[in-house]
Amino acid sequence: MSLESWQDGLANLVLHGTIENGLLLSDEDKEWLNQVKTSPGFRVTCDIQRWWRSMRIRTAAPLTIRVLESQFKKEGADSFINKFINENLIFSQYYITEALSFIKWLNIKFTGTNNSTLTSIAEFEEALLICKITPQISNNKRELPNKLVCEPTARVIKFYIDPELYLNALLYRKSFPVANGHAYYIIVAHGIPHYWRRASDSEVAVIEVCQEPGLTSEITKKFGKIVEYLFREQVLVDAKRKGRAN
Amino acid sequence: MIRPIGRLGVGFTWSPGLNKVTNKLANIIDFLEISPDIICRELLINEHITLDFSPELLALALDATAKRPVVLHGLGLSIGSASGWNEQYLNILDTFLSLRDVPWHSEHLGFLCTKRPNNQLTTVGVPLPLPFTKEVIDMLAIRIKILQDRFFIPFLLENTSYYLPSLPSEPGWDEIVFLNELTSRTNCGLLLDLYNLYCNFINQGIDPFKNIGRLNLEHVIEIHIAGGATHDGFLLDVHSDIVPEPVWQLLEYVVPRAPNLRGIVYELLDEGLYVVGLDNIHDQLMRIRNIYDNCNFSN
């Protein structure tokens, strides 16, 4: 028995429920794994791994989980988490990385459905998490540079329900606001206090334009003072510095 | 040369969620134990995830430990992985040890990192047990030496709970023999987790009181005690409750027989706070103190 092959075999069995054909397992390894996989202790071991993954997702993506629970009850939310765990390999020891993977999977599941609130909250939480783990590119100079571009983590998320009222209701378990046909926008970016705030239609338009680097003079001519304001908030950064974090 | 260590006394697990508890019970806690993992954050740099301390959580941890000793109890090193341990974690230890004097540090006796059939590295999330074999001890001996040469403080390994039957073993070896061989053949101390040992004995139908006497207690530097839960007929080590009476009896047996014992920690997860409550935590710590103080250590 080689320790490495035994560990690979055991880990893959616990994580995926099968004795992997692609691993170099000895006959002794395979015999042991076949015995173990029908034992009650093996089921408990797998349960523990599952609980840990579920806990990580719940801890790192609390807003998305709350929306799921409000729409599908706790059992429904658990069902989505379990489905994700069953369908997706564990590849990261890290909480936020796993939560991002879960949110991405969930958004794919709900794309094209009528559940814009869930997808908007999930996108919002995804943007917040990315801000948390990505080093910030800051604007060293006070004056506007020659060319501007959006800070890599800056995102605009569209809601069809007042997002601040909805988040308040979500967090404090109050009645949810009703959609009134209006579109609302939130900017998420590193330089904004708590990473987010409401965005105006004009700000959304600036961010759209600045997805690619553009001359500051032309952008300012078109949109006015809000360009400087977004620069101060580091939603927009010097196009020369994009990709070079502090 | 490894730095000698003095006796610390009664310890408690520290986390941001338990900070208020450790402040309220400060006068009965001699030292704190921190898992560096819980004050780390992920950073995405050049499309790779790396680990670093969260500035806010590190500041909180340093503040909590400014006036009393702290020991480190890691989870993420994966010292038992045959495919390679988590070298990034050593940098985390470097950083903390540059900021705080730490009498000793410890890790779990298990493995996290492993490989998929396509050689992609993956993780199992919660440590899986190691077989009781000479190959494991040979591998650990090399890594223990690396740690001691790097940090110059004692390193301990903690016996973990496991639920799989019939772990591969050398002829005549069980968990007790393996731990004895590990500590006698390497320069590693033992963090004896009495609740883990108790869980393993009970889950396998072994009498803990008839077997604890076989464990060589000379290398025990630290003891963990905790309470857990039951699931599908198994005792689980989940640090979520008060310590069960049989574990207190094991502690009373072990303490006077462990000549190099330096500290005893009551382990509790954040979630356990709401189950146990402040008063019970106080009582657990005071009961440890009574056992510890009544023992006439010779050194």
Side-chain angles (χ1 to χ4, degrees), chain B residues 85 87 90 139-152:
Chain B
W85 60 353
E87 294 213 11
L90 298 177
M139 177 185 69
L140 291 175
I142 296 169
R143 291 175 178 175
I144 290 164
K145 176 98 176 40
I146 291 172
L147 292 172
Q148 290 172 335
D149 288 348
R150 183 168 179 145
F151 300 120
F152 299 106

Side-chain angles (χ1 to χ4, degrees), chain B residues 176 180 197 201 207-217 250 253-254 257:
Chain B
I176 299 285
N180 288 344
L197 199 65
F201 281 146
D207 186 332
F209 298 97
K210 286 186 180 166
N211 284 276
I212 190 69
R214 294 167 47 222
L215 185 64
N216 182 348
L217 299 175
L250 287 170
Y253 174 89
V254 166
R257 294 171 175 81

